[in-house]
Amino acid sequence: MNLANTAFILIASILVLFMTPGLAFFYGGLVSEKNVVNTMLSVFIMTGVAILLWVFLGYSLAFSGNVAGIVGNLHHVFMAGVNWASVTATHIPLGAYSLFQMMFAIITPALFVGAVVGRIRFKFLLLFLIAWSICIYYPMVHLVWSPLGLLAKLGVLDFAGGTVVHINAGVTALVLSAWLGPRLAKDHPGQHYNLPWVLLGTAILWIGWYGFNAGSALAVNGVALQAAITSTVATATAMVVWMFLDILTTGKPTLVGVCTGTLCGLVGITPAAGYVTVMGSVAIGALATLASYGFIQVLKPKLGVDDALDAFGCHGVSGIVGSILTGVFATKAVNPTIGENGLLYGGGWHLLGIQVLATGITIALVAVMGSALILILRQLTPMRVDAAEEEMGLDQGEHGEQVDYTVGLSERLTAFQPDQERYSQEFKGQLQHLQDPQANHFGSH
């Protein structure tokens, strides 16, 4: 065991776990008041369910053995027979690596919750999470990050989850939105519930992303440092680009826009973080944001798919752009372990072609499998709440809770009234005496 590398991965795992409550605040601040509890719970429950699924069979399906290069086997169900003390290539214990990968299995399904808030049944969402993890997420991990996976053998570069996490979650979000149908027209929120929460969630996500991207080097080395720097620069670039796009199109910079741009930068650089230069990260941050902004503002209204919080617009689109541009900007000068340079560094079109192919395969696989799972699960339980519950809000309808337990204004005013006014009947005699100008001993009080 390399103590420095192991400590680094444990810290990175905690940072990735921190991202999920951060995402809960980000999404919870964006929705309307009547769906805040449902949205935050839908994100946070992924933590418990995904951890148990990973232990029961996720790790085994992702990394144990190989079936046709698509998925692992079930030899380590319930983690049976796993030697936690054995070390990986970077001399971290297998247990630490499994913990790190577990955190990715939590945050990925939490991302697509933003697409379907305010109208999906909580029970259906839980069932879909379980089926999606088994049939889509674990095979994607095996395909890309297991040395025996088909896409890994093809030579695809995905440093921290462009295909496995962001394209996967983004396309799932789009598929769920399409099958679920749009929100009731009158239910589109005019205002976000809490903009400070949006900023808080964005900040937590950015902080956690260092575990996500730098941690994916799996060691304290130059690649980890490069991933941290490129992640920082791409995110700053995306934030500023989105702000200027807002100013150019609406005349005003917005907090929601800046936070959305920040997220696009984080997503875009994820597949490339440990492979590109600082200037490459600037280009990826800018281009990913331009693509996401264009999709959200121009293409999305024409599609007619109601992705409520733009999960596909941010994660799907920026993830696709980042994954493809990895084939342009990847260079051995940054990471000597990669097989070939990208297009811009004299590697020709080969790596770019692989990245485009892997991106297309990911989109097709997730779209087909996601639709199939939805069709099956809809036979077991309703997918969408009824119109009355949607209008009332899922906080009350699904959970019997509300985000704000405040006392009504009239009750608050009543609470501060003098007892003589609140209980005038009981004080009737004394009040008459107070009104008597001759009653100086009461009047003086």
Side-chain angles (χ1 to χ4, degrees):
M1 181 194 300
N2 181 299
L3 296 182
N5 290 352
T6 303
F8 176 61
I9 293 305
L10 290 176
I11 293 169
S13 299
I14 294 168
L15 286 171
V16 179
L17 176 62
F18 190 39
M19 293 169 69
T20 301
L23 186 70
F25 275 103
F26 180 78
Y27 282 165
L30 286 172
V31 298
S32 57
E33 184 177 4
K34 62 186 181 180
N35 291 313
V36 175
V37 172
N38 174 260
T39 299
M40 298 185 82
L41 176 58
S42 296
V43 170
F44 193 56
I45 195 63
M46 301 288 181
T47 312
V49 177
I51 287 172
L52 293 176
L53 277 174
W54 182 257
V55 170
F56 292 167
L57 44 75
Y59 172 80
S60 192
L61 287 174
F63 293 112
S64 172
N66 180 53
V67 178
I70 297 171
V71 71
N73 57 38
L74 296 174
H75 290 177
H76 293 302
V77 171
F78 301 106
M79 294 292 191
V82 176
N83 182 4
W84 295 118
S86 62
V87 294
T88 66
T90 55
H91 297 281
I92 62 172
L94 189 59
Y97 179 68
S98 177
L99 182 70
F100 184 62
Q101 285 288 344
M102 177 194 288
M103 301 310 167
F104 282 69
I106 296 169
I107 186 65
T108 307
L111 297 174
F112 60 66
V113 168
V116 293
V117 294
R119 61 202 197 276
I120 194 167
R121 286 190 182 276
F122 189 75
K123 178 182 177 182
F124 183 93
L125 184 64
L126 282 183
L127 291 174
F128 182 79
L129 162 63
I130 296 168
W132 177 89
S133 296
I134 296 169
C135 299
I136 298 178
Y137 182 73
Y138 304 146
M140 278 302 309
V141 173
H142 187 83
L143 281 164
V144 177
W145 285 337
S146 168
L148 303 173
L150 285 178
L151 294 181
K153 287 183 175 180
L154 192 64
V156 66
L157 295 182
D158 187 353
F159 189 74
T163 53
V164 177
V165 177
H166 296 294
I167 299 175
N168 188 357
V171 173
T172 301
L174 189 66
V175 170
L176 278 170
S177 300
W179 283 101
L180 193 58
R183 288 165 288 176
L184 299 175
K186 57 187 175 183
D187 190 43
H188 283 251
Q191 287 186 324
H192 305 294
Y193 171 69
N194 193 316
L195 291 184
W197 279 14
V198 177
L199 177 56
L200 173 66
T202 304
I204 293 174
L205 284 167
W206 191 342
I207 292 167
W209 226 284
Y210 287 103
F212 202 86
N213 283 3
S216 292
L218 300 176
V220 180
N221 56 24
V223 174
L225 177 60
Q226 186 73 14
I229 293 171
T230 55
S231 298
T232 305
V233 174
T235 306
T237 304
M239 171 195 282
V240 173
V241 168
W242 195 292
M243 182 186 71
F244 279 117
L245 288 171
D246 264 350
I247 293 172
L248 287 172
T249 55
T250 68
K252 295 179 181 179
T254 65
L255 179 60
V256 171
V258 163
C259 290
T260 304
T262 301
L263 204 60
C264 290
L266 290 165
V267 171
I269 196 60
T270 292
Y275 304 129
V276 300
T277 64
V278 171
M279 287 312 298
S281 71
V282 171
I284 290 172
L287 292 171
T289 304
L290 287 168
S292 283
Y293 191 91
F295 176 84
I296 291 169
Q297 300 296 333
V298 179
L299 289 179
K300 179 187 168 184
K302 297 177 180 178
L303 283 179
V305 177
D306 187 12
D307 177 355
L309 303 183
D310 293 312
F312 177 76
C314 290
H315 297 278
V317 174
S318 286
I320 289 167
V321 171
S323 182
I324 292 172
L325 290 181
T326 302
V328 176
F329 294 106
T331 169
K332 289 184 177 182
V334 169
N335 193 331
T337 65
I338 63 176
E340 56 188 321
N341 283 325
L343 178 65
L344 198 64
Y345 291 88
W349 293 90
H350 185 251
L351 180 59
L352 179 58
I354 290 172
Q355 293 300 116
V356 171
L357 178 62
T359 301
I361 290 172
T362 302
I363 293 170
L365 174 67
V366 176
V368 172
M369 287 298 297
S371 296
L373 292 177
I374 291 169
L375 285 171
I376 294 169
L377 290 175
R378 281 171 61 166
Q379 304 304 311
L380 304 176
T381 184
M383 183 179 186
R384 183 167 179 155
V385 300
D386 58 40
E389 184 176 338
E390 186 173 343
E391 187 173 350
M392 175 176 62
L394 271 61
D395 288 4
Q396 288 288 351
E398 293 283 283
H399 312 292
E401 294 179 308
Q402 60 190 63
V403 66
D404 286 324
Y405 291 92
T406 54
V407 182
L409 180 61
S410 61
E411 293 177 40
R412 288 204 303 271
L413 292 174
T414 301
F416 289 104
Q417 286 178 329
D419 284 347
Q420 293 96 326
E421 295 180 29
R422 292 175 65 189
Y423 306 107
S424 57
Q425 291 302 315
E426 289 84 344
F427 284 91
K428 189 172 182 180
Q430 289 90 331
L431 288 173
Q432 282 183 336
H433 203 63
L434 279 171
Q435 293 167 359
D436 185 353
Q438 300 300 320
N440 291 328
H441 66 289
F442 278 111
S444 64
H445 294 301

